[in-house]
């Protein structure tokens, strides 16, 4: 540990068993948190406890285990509601993740409400999950996509955004935080501007949820999507938040069990919220694990996590940006712990491979955001992304690893 790493982070690290592992005989330095986060014992144990003691199908049986499973599942929904301050638990829909949540809105809301010539506004820094579902809707309906440009620092141009909002705009869909650049977008202002002309706003919160406080009522967003696995929870569980009045007017996304109240061959009556959008047996263990993850994060406190991650980001930024031949991609004033860069000497993939030999896990590639790579004229970047368990010492190991990359390529 570095002298200036706090006792807090030393303690938090012991909550994550995988952080004790070694890669290529070096202690693991896990800096790929924007792709997925590691899981604390609390989450691993909560899932295991559920399968050991409570497992049964939900909302169906009168037997004790089924009731316990239903209680666990609905308790998890309540934890999500409180974590993002939704007005009601029925506004919380459990899905597989952010991608499925955005597809649900595109197909259910988009297909039932939008017509040829209508416009959807997204930004130049979106993840493919917040581009492709809208493109599919465009092909199906003749709706058009409008793209908000960004400046060289990786910030949304609010004046350009305002010009894109018009009489044909029907929806704004933007990331709360960019996974490729780390930019925290001015979503509060963007939502206010959209609401002035009665346009609803969907926020892709996949990259925000673990790094900034989220209050959907204060934001007044209409939809908010996030994935459990990016906030120390399990894979295969995620959330769509939607305002009741919007969700109530939307048709179901998929048909099957749990989303119906009664079925005859002539007619099906749909269930109430949130079950209307939860067709089929849900990922109950995943929901329980997500609930445990939110408890874990809540106990530390979002403000504490933010302050810690900013501290590590600042240290890493100053170390990495002073290495000759490195260009940072994404230098917005408001950022979370994401450091994207290209190296003069080496391709991003070589950087990733050489760092891996030193036990350091970063991501190299287009980060599922190819349009933003084009915007910067690079095919790929190397990206280090930080979570609550990363240290200033690890930032120093990253910088030392990058110096080694330069030595290898110059020697
Ligand atoms: C990870 C991510 C997604 C996709 O999340 P999935 O869990 O793969 O569905 C979407 N948007 C952003 C900004 C992301 O970081």
């Amino acid at each position: 540990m570095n002298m200036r790493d706090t006792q807090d982070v030393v303690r938090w690290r012991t909550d994550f068993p995988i952080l004790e592992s070694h890669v290529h005989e070096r202690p693991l330095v896990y800096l790929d948190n924007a792709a997925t986060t590691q899981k604390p014992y609390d989450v691993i144990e909560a899932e295991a406890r559920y399968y050991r003691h409570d497992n049964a199908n939900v909302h169906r049986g009168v037997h004790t285990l089924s009731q316990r499973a239903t209680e666990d599942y609905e308790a998890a929904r309540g934890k999500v509601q409180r974590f993002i301050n939704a007005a009601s638990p029925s506004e919380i829909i459990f899905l597989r993740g952010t991608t499925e949540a955005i597809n649900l809105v595109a197909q259910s809301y988009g297909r039932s409400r939008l017509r040829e010539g209508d416009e959807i506004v997204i930004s130049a820094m979106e993840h493919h999950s917040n581009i492709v579902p809208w493109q599919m809707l465009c092909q199906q309906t003749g709706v058009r996509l409008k793209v908000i440009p960004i400046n060289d620092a990786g910030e949304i141009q609010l004046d350009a955004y305002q010009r894109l909002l018009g009489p044909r705009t029907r929806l704004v869909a933007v990331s709360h935080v960019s996974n490729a650049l780390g930019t925290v977008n001015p979503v509060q202002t963007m939502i206010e501007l959209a609401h002035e002309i009665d346009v609803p706003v969907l926020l892709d919160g996949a990259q925000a949820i673990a790094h900034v406080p989220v209050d959907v009522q204060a934001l007044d967003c209409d939809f908010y999507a996030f994935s459990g696995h990016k906030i120390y929870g399990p894979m295969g569980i995620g959330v769509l938040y939607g305002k009741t009045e919007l969700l109530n007017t939307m048709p179901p996304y998929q048909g099957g069990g749990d989303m119906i109240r009664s079925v005859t061959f002539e007619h099906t009556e749909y269930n109430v919220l949130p079950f209307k959008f939860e067709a089929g047996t849900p990922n109950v263990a995943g929901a329980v694990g997500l609930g445990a993850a939110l408890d874990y994060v809540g106990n530390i406190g979002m403000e504490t996590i933010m302050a810690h991650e900013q501290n590590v980001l600042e240290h890493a930024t100053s170390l990495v940006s002073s290495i000759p031949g490195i260009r940072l991609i994404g230098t917005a004033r408001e950022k979370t712990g994401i450091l994207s860069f290209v190296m003069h000497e080496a391709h991003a993939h070589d950087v990733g491979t050489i760092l891996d030999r030193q036990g350091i896990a970063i991501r190299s590639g287009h980060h599922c955001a190819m349009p933003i790579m084009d915007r910067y004229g690079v095919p790929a970047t190397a990206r280090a992304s930080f979570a609550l368990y990363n240290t200033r010492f690890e930032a120093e190991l990253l910088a030392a690893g990058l110096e080694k990359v330069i030595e290898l390529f110059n020697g």
Side-chain angles (χ1 to χ4, degrees), residues 150-155 178-183 317 320-321 326-332 335-336 338-343 348 365-367 369 372-384:
I150 60 163
N151 65 17
D152 289 341
E155 296 164 327
S178 157
N179 68 305
L181 308 174
T183 310
T317 304
V320 170
S321 62
I326 284 192
R327 171 185 165 209
L328 295 187
I329 303 287
T331 48
K335 273 187 74 171
T336 60
I338 286 177
L339 203 58
S340 252
F341 55 91
V342 289
M343 276 184 115
H366 53 64
H367 318 298
I372 193 68
M373 298 293 114
D374 290 343
R375 163 69 178 75
Y376 283 97
V378 295
T381 72
R383 179 188 71 188

Side-chain angles (χ1 to χ4, degrees), residues 34-35 97-100 127 129 175 177-179 204 206-207 227 229-230:
T98 309
T99 303
E100 190 174 31
H127 188 283
S129 292
S175 47
V177 170
S178 157
N179 68 305
D204 170 353
Q207 210 55 245
S227 304
H229 72 96
K230 294 205 176 157

Side-chain angles (χ1 to χ4, degrees), residues 24-332:
H24 296 301
E25 280 138 50
R26 304 286 193 90
L28 169 66
V29 176
Y30 186 77
L31 303 179
D32 193 17
N33 295 286
T36 200
T37 53
Q38 301 300 346
K39 320 306 172 197
Y41 281 106
D42 286 6
V43 170
I44 298 166
E45 291 303 318
E47 269 204 278
R49 198 181 317 117
Y50 168 79
Y51 277 128
R52 259 190 228 121
H53 299 292
D54 295 350
N55 179 54
N57 213 327
V58 290
H59 304 136
R60 288 169 201 194
V62 295
H63 65 80
T64 303
L65 285 191
S66 176
Q67 285 174 9
R68 279 219 298 258
T70 304
E71 278 163 23
D72 291 346
Y73 186 57
E74 293 308 320
R77 198 189 305 278
K79 288 179 186 186
V80 174
Q81 179 212 346
R82 289 188 292 280
F83 192 78
I84 64 171
N85 192 32
S88 154
S90 61
E91 295 181 318
I92 304 300
I93 298 158
F94 281 127
L95 299 162
R96 279 191 300 141
T98 309
T99 303
E100 190 174 31
I102 298 174
N103 275 278
L104 186 158
V105 177
Q107 289 302 309
S108 170
Y109 182 82
R111 269 190 118 159
S112 64
R113 295 284 191 93
L114 274 51
R115 299 284 168 267
E116 185 167 356
D118 287 347
E119 294 172 358
I120 296 174
V121 173
I122 65 172
S123 87
M125 67 177 88
E126 297 310 315
H127 188 283
H128 296 165
S129 292
N130 198 30
I131 302 174
V132 182
W134 308 116
Q135 283 176 334
M136 291 166 74
L137 179 69
C138 290
Q139 277 160 12
Q140 291 157 349
T141 60
V143 168
R144 286 194 307 237
L145 268 190
K146 296 279 165 178
V147 182
I148 316 161
I150 60 163
N151 65 17
D152 289 341
E155 296 164 327
I156 277 182
Q157 304 284 274
L158 277 177
D159 50 342
Y161 168 64
Q162 249 172 311
R163 282 196 297 276
L164 285 180
L165 292 175
R168 317 221 65 163
T169 313
R170 294 290 174 267
L171 187 74
V172 172
V174 289
S175 47
H176 190 174
V177 170
S178 157
N179 68 305
L181 308 174
T183 310
V184 183
N185 285 318
V187 290
Q188 187 92 57
T189 308
M190 295 177 78
I191 291 166
E192 281 164 20
L193 290 169
H195 284 179
E196 277 173 18
I197 55 166
D198 289 326
V199 169
V201 179
L202 174 144
L203 295 182
D204 170 353
Q207 210 55 245
I209 193 73
H211 308 289
V212 298
V214 174
D215 180 331
V216 291
Q217 291 190 82
L219 285 168
D220 200 25
C221 56
D222 301 274
F223 298 105
Y224 198 95
F226 70 91
S227 304
H229 72 96
K230 294 205 176 157
I231 182 161
Y232 315 106
M235 288 187 174
I237 186 77
V239 170
L240 174 68
Y241 157 81
K243 284 182 180 166
T244 302
E245 59 270 29
L246 272 171
L247 293 175
N248 268 332
T249 63
M250 288 160 52
Y253 172 50
Q254 293 178 333
D258 246 22
M259 53 73 70
I260 46 89
R261 191 176 270 160
S262 70
V263 179
T264 65
F265 284 113
E266 290 73 39
H267 181 71
T268 292
E269 197 180 324
Y270 300 130
N271 207 337
V272 294
L273 289 177
F275 312 113
K276 181 169 87 173
F277 293 108
E278 294 183 355
T281 298
N283 182 358
V284 180
V288 167
L290 174 57
L294 299 183
D295 283 345
Y296 179 82
V297 167
N299 283 337
I300 296 176
M302 239 23 248
E303 300 292 337
T304 306
I305 292 171
M306 264 203 336
H308 169 73
E309 290 178 357
Q310 284 300 323
N311 182 307
V312 174
L313 173 68
E314 274 164 33
H315 195 45
T317 304
S318 87
L319 290 172
V320 170
S321 62
S322 65
I323 297 174
I326 284 192
R327 171 185 165 209
L328 295 187
I329 303 287
T331 48

